[in-house]
Amino acid sequence: MNDQVARVIYRERLTPSLWMLVTIALVGPMVSLVFVPLNTSVALVLGGAVSLVLVVMSIVLSPVVSVTGSVLRAGRAHIDAQWLGEPEQFTGQDARDKRTRDIARDGWHLFRGGIDGVVVVPVTDPADPMNSWTVTTRTPDRLSAAIRSARRISAAE
């Protein structure tokens, strides 16, 4: 395999926002309250352990968006860039509209709450039932540039 094809152009883990992590961590004190009548020390340890496990799991299990060589990956899905059109990037109200009222009903979506930016990429493969990919990202300009780069790599192959 060519070194240029396997090169990671873009990678982002769509981790929960700080406020979401705090909310997740609040489950620990609730667990502690349940076990306080049995043993205070055990309750504190269990509460801390539950908070830690939930926060770590929410980060580790977060989907990854990446462009490696000529392949776009969003979570478990992937598509070769040869089948992608020109990406469009959105932020603010435009991004909210793309996730809600203007959502591509015949498209594939990877949304993560608390992340504002959205990139919409048309799919040009006539055999693919999805007409577009809509992906949330913290850096829509960088993801769009990476997709364009992957398209150039795919065209050169």
Side-chain angles (χ1 to χ4, degrees):
M1 184 179 250
N2 187 335
D3 286 341
Q4 187 179 19
V5 173
R7 186 173 56 99
V8 175
I9 301 169
Y10 177 86
R11 186 175 192 287
E12 174 184 13
R13 183 174 294 278
L14 301 178
T15 56
S17 66
L18 178 60
W19 289 111
M20 183 57 72
L21 291 174
V22 168
T23 303
I24 292 167
L26 287 176
V27 173
M30 290 182 228
V31 169
S32 291
L33 286 174
V34 170
F35 288 99
V36 163
L38 299 177
N39 186 323
T40 307
S41 299
V42 171
L44 288 173
V45 170
L46 277 174
V50 166
S51 289
L52 181 65
V53 166
L54 290 177
V55 168
V56 168
M57 283 180 52
S58 68
I59 292 171
V60 170
L61 297 176
S62 295
V64 174
V65 176
S66 67
V67 179
T68 305
S70 65
V71 177
L72 168 62
R73 294 183 187 280
R76 294 181 183 179
H78 66 279
I79 187 169
D80 194 285
Q82 72 178 352
W83 301 114
L84 297 175
E86 182 63 22
E88 296 178 272
Q89 57 199 37
F90 302 94
T91 57
Q93 186 60 45
D94 293 333
R96 282 186 286 285
D97 290 345
K98 286 295 179 185
R99 289 190 305 264
T100 56
R101 69 179 176 94
D102 295 339
I103 192 168
R105 295 187 189 353
D106 56 354
W108 186 87
H109 312 99
L110 176 63
F111 296 151
R112 183 58 161 208
I115 299 177
D116 182 52
V118 171
V119 172
V120 179
V121 188
V123 175
T124 60
D125 183 359
D128 196 327
M130 299 295 135
N131 287 334
S132 66
W133 277 32
T134 304
V135 179
T136 55
T137 175
R138 289 183 176 89
T139 56
D141 54 335
R142 289 182 50 217
L143 178 56
S144 295
I147 292 169
R148 287 185 194 99
S149 177
R151 289 175 61 207
R152 284 190 295 274
I153 291 170
S154 181
E157 289 179 342

